[in-house]
Amino acid sequence: MQEKTTMEDTISAIATAPGEGGIGIIRISGQHAVSIAHKIFRPFSAKSMEEYAPRSAVYGQVLDEQGRIIDEAICIVMNAPNSYTCEDVVEIQCHGGSVVMREILSLTYRHGARAAEPGEFTKRAFLNGRLDLSQAQAVMDVINAKTQASLAMAMSHLSGGFSDKIKGFRHDILEIIAHLEASIDFPEDDIEGMDFEDTRERVKLLQDKIQKMVDGSHTGIILRDGLKTAIIGKPNAGKSSIMNLLLGQERAIVTDVPGTTRDSIEEYVNIGGIPLRLIDTAGIRDTDDIVEKIGVEKAYSYANDAELVLAVFDSNEPLNHEDEEIIQLLDKCPGNVIVIMNKMDLSADVNDDIISGKLKNCPNARIRGIVPMSAKSGEGQELLEQLLSDIVYGGNTKIMESQALCDARQGEILRQAASLLGDTLNTIDMGMSEDFIVIDLRASWEKLGEITGETIEDDIVDQIFSNFCIGK
Ligand code: GDP
């Protein structure tokens, strides 16, 4: 269906967000980028485009083939390799209207550029060696970051903190391999056969380090994607009020989910730097009829789907059968549960103890704490933050964001790499020769290279970048 695209093509796209804004940027990259700029852009000064030094911000007009003025703009030429893609790149900063931007974009097409694919600029930055794969992935994570902690993690990945760790592991493996290979090549230097104790220790140390990262992997994934959270409770317990409190305090980020037919939205709240991705918040808030509000059945399906359940009870009222049903439901929730005793501002007669007693009958529920709260006064938010932080950071001191994995793919690769090192240990323990140990070590070394992109198949690279948006 599509013509074959190559790295030789000059690509062009609108780099700014869709819609209207003060300024819009058209970005062109590739061997014809500069000549296209010369054809479509005329500086206001007496100088021609060619006379300007690279990376000058040149003020002028964008003109079509008939000399008609499309817009006034600023044009910046960045010559290879000093650009984002390491190719010649031109950025035209025009007015941010969608018609203006599309006109200029189609002008670039008519002069030989083609539409950039999703993520193609960043993919070129990767293929040209400017970023490794983990850094390239971090570009999207920086753009999509939901909280400051998510941003800090993404930035540290982008600046290479995470890649450096992985490269360090690979370097260590190579050193062990080199040592073993030396003893294969020069067996006469060997004193009474190789002593594998030292090798074993080094492999084990490495395996432990990698395993530690795997163990902490959920932190990064949560910081990046948000913790999928359901708020459940009987009608009038105060779910909407709590949600509004959480949404209101920190700015909520609402994103449209592309490709969905209905008005499905994802809503994020930021609690102490941890992004909670709230499930079907519209559903909870939009229903006026209280009876229609979240029934136990619906609550069940939300809760089943969530990594975190906030179970809201009205501390001002005796528990009723609906509360009892919710409590029973908690026993079946796969995710963590935080129990919220709401309306503390009213209650003299707190039924905290009753709830605690009942929860003892839910041995399978992963209850992380009970929070006395008031959606009205805001009381209880600090404790909620603390509990969340325990869930996400595992109660330890905060994981260095640079060490946190950022997605499930990276987590799986590290898990496999650690397991291959486990195989290496077995091979050593079985008393097998250096060659076999080297084979196992190489497998682990190659596996780790899939994170930085040094050992990765093209179609996986394509797949990763296809999740980017156009213009990035
Ligand atoms: P939902 O049905 O669970 O979503 O409950 P709502 O959030 O709609 O709250 C039901 C009623 O309880 C509303 O009149 C709220 O104003 C009130 N409410 C909710 N939380 C509190 C609270 O912490 N204190 C007090 N005094 N009233 C609350």
Side-chain angles (χ1 to χ4, degrees), residues 175-301:
E175 268 192 355
I176 305 173
I177 291 177
H179 185 68
L180 289 166
E181 282 182 341
S183 90
I184 298 172
D185 293 343
F186 306 103
E188 63 276 10
D189 293 348
D190 212 351
I191 325 131
E192 284 296 299
M194 179 89 175
D195 174 13
F196 288 126
E197 203 43 49
D198 174 54
T199 307
R200 193 184 195 290
E201 241 168 62
R202 290 167 72 181
V203 173
K204 180 78 182 95
L205 194 71
L206 204 54
Q207 190 199 27
D208 289 347
K209 279 194 209 161
I210 295 178
Q211 189 56 47
K212 216 163 151 195
M213 269 182 134
V214 177
D215 294 342
S217 63
H218 72 293
T219 306
I221 294 171
I222 290 169
L223 289 182
R224 176 176 178 262
D225 298 335
L227 189 64
K228 205 172 177 191
T229 304
I231 303 186
I232 64 168
K234 72 176 174 194
N236 271 334
K239 297 178 295 297
S240 322
S241 308
I242 287 182
M243 203 161 64
N244 287 336
L245 174 79
L246 299 180
L247 286 170
Q249 256 234 334
E250 296 281 348
R251 240 164 298 133
I253 300 175
V254 180
T255 38
D256 290 316
V257 183
T260 48
T261 45
R262 289 187 48 246
D263 54 344
S264 152
I265 53 166
E266 284 184 344
E267 234 164 330
Y268 290 87
V269 296
N270 172 359
I271 303 194
I274 297 162
L276 300 192
R277 184 152 55 96
L278 299 174
I279 301 177
D280 194 15
T281 48
I284 293 178
R285 271 185 302 182
D286 289 352
T287 327
D288 290 332
D289 182 353
I290 287 172
V291 186
E292 279 266 305
K293 278 196 181 180
I294 186 165
V296 171
E297 241 169 69
K298 206 164 180 196
Y300 183 75
S301 79

Side-chain angles (χ1 to χ4, degrees), residues 40 56 59 71 116 118 121 126 144 152 159 171 192 211 228 233 239 264 266 284 342 387 399 439:
I40 70 174
S56 306
Y59 179 41
D71 195 10
F121 291 95
F126 163 64
N144 291 331
S159 55
H171 174 80
E192 284 296 299
Q211 189 56 47
K228 205 172 177 191
K239 297 178 295 297
S264 152
E266 284 184 344
I284 293 178
N342 191 33
L387 291 173
I399 284 194
I439 290 171

